[in-house]
Amino acid sequence: MLAWRWMEVLVLQAVLAGAAGWLWGPWAALAGALLATWLWMLWDHWQVELLRQWLMAGELAAFPALKGVWSMVATYVRRAVRTREQAAAAAEQRVQDILAALQASPNGLVLMDAEGHIEWCNRMAERHFGFDAERDIQQSIGNLVRDPAFSSYWAHQDFTYPVLMAGRDSSPSRPVMLSVHIYPYGVGRHLLLARDITALEQAEAMRRDFVANVSHEIRTPLTVLVGFVETLQTLDLSPEEHKHYLALMAQQAGRMQNLVQDLLTLSRLEGSPPPTYNDWFPVGQMLRQCAVEAHALSKLLTKGADVGHALSFPEPEAPAMDWEIAGVQAELISAFSNLISNALRYTPAGGSVEVRWEGLLDGGARFSVKDSGPGIDPAHIGRLTERFYRVDRSRSRDTGGTGLGLAIVKHALQRHGAKLEIHSQLGAGATFSAVFPAHRLRHSGRVHAEPERLPK
């Protein structure tokens, strides 16, 4: 490049010196050479000035009208700048992609400087702590998160373990529990990670309650059995007393057997895949079987009373009684029977229990059991399907319940795409309904498209 520039100077000097020497002599030739040098320097300075202005403007598209070496320099500069810009754009895109991924994270993320000022947070952190991504930038985390547990955590600067705290939207009816862990990174900076562990905490609480309830439910009859065994071993009893104690022992053993059976049923329902659509079962046949069992249970429960239960089942020719359900027949009959037996157990002698099966306008169907019992306080309805939850514990045990019946019903219905609905008020009885979707039902051996409109 330098050789080319010297060549330009020498050629210009030779041309002007030769022309001046030919016209005016040797001294004119020297003056021509000097003039050629000055003209080249002026032209070269002008080229440099154009290049400087172009670089200062920063407009790569407005390429200056340069010649020779400076045109080559400008081309190289533009190519280098364009490469740098492309690399910067690619790096910016990668940063945006990383931020988008952090925004999509199910965990709350907050970036802070050494003093705890917020530099960036994602939308989940806004939900967890009530931040505003624009308003709260450069605000101190200690001023925005006022939970005592977090304040102590931040003050001690010991981030070995996470801290548990309530989320901003937490309430007594719908608690929200967060696990907050701060990770130092870089030079004095901090990354705050917040995870919603409400479901995990609830699952752990349910596990503890489940173990405690199972232990309690088994320990009570087991204690009774051990006491009766010691009585039989140590006391000289008459045959009648001996028979009486054995009957009580059999009752307690049956109670434990029922509990274990219900636990196994729940475990099987939770661990099995949803039933297929290969097996279809007539609704009328299942309800007839439930009716037989219900009448037998009613006689047993009202034995010795002047009047029994007034039981009502749909007639075989009633609308929708010729429909079929796809699924597992044993699970469906178990769910239906559980709802009917619960109604009978909690309805005193002389009361009524009405069982209905009706088609719905959307093609689905509803199985419902309505009783005239004492009813249920609405405050308890939301927890009735929890394992071992009882509104009246002593009364439930007296009627032979294990506290798992409605949990079994809920899981059996969920596996068939149905949902359990409960409506009740104190002193006004209760209605338990199982609502089935249309895709689980068919009419007269084919999937029904238009449900029959039933009289109200």
Side-chain angles (χ1 to χ4, degrees):
M1 187 177 293
L2 290 176
W4 180 256
R5 287 169 59 81
W6 282 110
M7 185 64 68
E8 288 179 346
V9 176
L10 293 176
V11 169
L12 184 58
Q13 287 177 341
V15 171
L16 291 182
W22 181 70
L23 292 175
W24 296 293
W27 291 105
L30 179 60
L34 293 175
L35 178 62
T37 302
W38 281 103
L39 289 176
W40 180 87
M41 291 177 64
L42 289 173
W43 178 83
D44 190 69
H45 178 75
W46 173 245
Q47 295 287 304
V48 172
E49 180 62 21
L50 290 178
L51 178 62
R52 187 190 68 82
Q53 293 178 2
W54 174 67
L55 293 175
M56 292 293 293
E59 296 291 338
L60 293 180
F63 194 73
L66 301 176
K67 304 294 182 181
V69 173
W70 295 116
S71 177
M72 296 173 59
V73 171
T75 300
Y76 294 149
V77 169
R78 182 168 65 171
R79 187 177 302 167
V81 171
R82 182 170 297 167
T83 301
R84 293 285 183 94
E85 288 183 345
Q86 292 175 349
E92 177 67 19
Q93 184 60 45
R94 286 195 295 271
V95 171
Q96 293 301 322
D97 291 342
I98 293 173
L99 291 178
L102 295 178
Q103 285 287 8
S105 172
N107 301 318
L109 297 170
V110 182
L111 302 181
M112 301 178 293
D113 62 14
E115 288 74 30
H117 297 132
I118 298 175
E119 297 181 331
W120 181 87
C121 66
N122 65 353
R123 285 186 292 271
M124 191 57 68
E126 293 182 83
R127 289 181 53 188
H128 285 167
F129 303 104
F131 293 161
D132 186 299
E134 297 181 0
R135 180 195 64 201
D136 294 330
I137 294 300
Q138 295 306 317
Q139 294 293 320
S140 174
I141 189 72
N143 294 335
L144 297 178
V145 183
R146 307 298 296 177
D147 186 274
F150 180 82
S151 299
S152 175
Y153 183 64
W154 177 252
H156 287 84
Q157 294 288 299
D158 182 6
F159 306 133
T160 308
Y161 301 101
V163 62
L164 301 182
M165 58 175 287
R168 180 180 178 83
D169 297 331
S170 181
S171 64
S173 59
R174 299 189 65 180
V176 177
M177 183 62 65
L178 301 178
S179 172
V180 179
H181 202 165
I182 295 178
Y183 299 91
Y185 77 98
V187 181
R189 296 182 178 276
H190 300 91
L191 166 66
L192 183 148
L193 174 65
R195 294 188 302 118
D196 188 340
I197 60 170
T198 306
L200 294 176
E201 286 292 307
Q202 291 176 344
E204 179 62 20
M206 289 177 61
R207 184 194 65 81
R208 291 193 299 266
D209 291 344
F210 177 76
V211 172
N213 284 323
V214 170
S215 302
H216 177 74
E217 295 291 336
I218 292 181
R219 183 173 61 246
T220 301
L222 191 59
T223 302
V224 175
L225 278 175
V226 171
F228 287 156
V229 169
E230 291 178 351
T231 299
L232 293 175
Q233 289 176 335
T234 58
L235 296 181
D236 186 14
L237 303 175
S238 65
E240 290 76 12
E241 292 175 327
H242 201 274
K243 183 178 180 181
H244 173 68
Y245 281 121
L246 287 177
L248 293 177
M249 292 172 64
Q251 181 183 5
Q252 297 301 323
R255 178 179 167 187
M256 286 193 294
Q257 186 177 20
N258 291 336
L259 177 62
V260 172
Q261 184 62 41
D262 283 350
L263 288 173
L264 292 176
T265 301
L266 264 180
S267 177
R268 178 177 54 81
L269 290 175
E270 292 178 342
S272 302
T276 65
Y277 295 85
N278 297 328
D279 300 320
W280 294 82
F281 303 97
V283 173
Q285 178 182 339
M286 289 191 291
L287 291 186
R288 284 194 296 272
Q289 181 175 341
C290 291
V292 172
E293 296 175 357
H295 282 93
L297 179 61
S298 176
K299 291 180 181 179
L300 180 63
L301 293 174
T302 59
K303 185 177 181 180
D306 296 334
V307 62
H309 294 116
L311 272 168
S312 173
F313 279 82
E315 296 295 331
E317 63 275 6
M321 282 296 287
D322 57 348
W323 287 6
E324 297 178 340
I325 303 181
V328 181
Q329 186 178 29
E331 294 180 11
L332 294 170
I333 292 178
S334 174
F336 294 167
S337 297
N338 262 301
L339 294 180
I340 297 172
S341 64
N342 277 349
L344 291 172
R345 293 177 188 278
Y346 287 96
T347 300
S352 64
V353 174
E354 180 185 5
V355 179
R356 298 184 63 185
W357 172 266
E358 54 187 344
L360 303 177
L361 293 180
D362 62 357
R366 178 185 289 110
F367 171 84
S368 61
V369 181
K370 181 180 181 181
D371 64 61
S372 61
I376 305 169
D377 189 331
H380 296 285
I381 291 179
R383 301 189 61 189
L384 288 180
T385 57
E386 294 181 12
R387 299 173 180 180
F388 299 109
Y389 185 83
R390 295 184 176 95
V391 177
D392 187 340
R393 290 183 175 271
S394 60
R395 182 178 176 186
S396 177
R397 292 194 180 94
D398 292 341
T399 57
T402 63
L404 298 173
L406 288 179
I408 293 174
V409 170
K410 182 186 73 171
H411 283 84
L413 294 180
Q414 286 179 344
R415 282 170 41 78
H416 289 80
K419 61 180 180 178
L420 179 64
E421 297 179 349
I422 305 173
H423 301 281
S424 180
Q425 289 184 353
L426 282 176
T431 301
F432 289 76
S433 303
V435 181
F436 290 87
H439 60 82
R440 280 282 173 184
L441 304 167
R442 73 181 183 185
H443 176 258
S444 299
R446 59 181 176 84
V447 178
H448 64 282
E450 293 293 332
E452 301 181 32
R453 294 179 179 269
L454 303 181
K456 295 184 180 180

